[in-house]
Amino acid sequence: MHHASVVVHRIFPSGGRQVTLRTSNGEESLGLARSDEDVIEFLRRAGMPDPDEVVLGGTELLDWEGDTPHAYEADLPTDDLP
């Protein structure tokens, strides 16, 4: 079974997504991303080769959990709207 090396987790209600790197010792938090540029920078700092390709190229190294890939803002509830 394949597991991605990088996980971009579900969008927080306040916006942004936690990014983690899977290692032999478990998962390491890379930070809270509010854009693809943030994810690319986190991967660059972690030493990943070609972080642009990993994020924008759709490689199997990255797993977008739960929400739409490349989305970082939470959907606001609409039941309070007139």
Side-chain angles (χ1 to χ4, degrees), residues 56-74:
L56 303 175
T59 70
E60 292 183 2
L61 292 174
L62 190 120
D63 182 24
W64 297 90
E65 281 192 347
D67 297 295
T68 304
H70 311 285
Y72 297 88
E73 295 300 320

Side-chain angles (χ1 to χ4, degrees), residues 17-38:
R17 299 173 87 148
Q18 185 67 37
V19 180
T20 58
L21 177 65
R22 288 190 178 127
T23 68
S24 58
N25 296 329
E27 286 193 351
E28 173 187 342
S29 176
L30 299 180
L32 179 67
R34 296 196 176 273
S35 67
D36 284 346
E37 291 79 19
D38 288 346

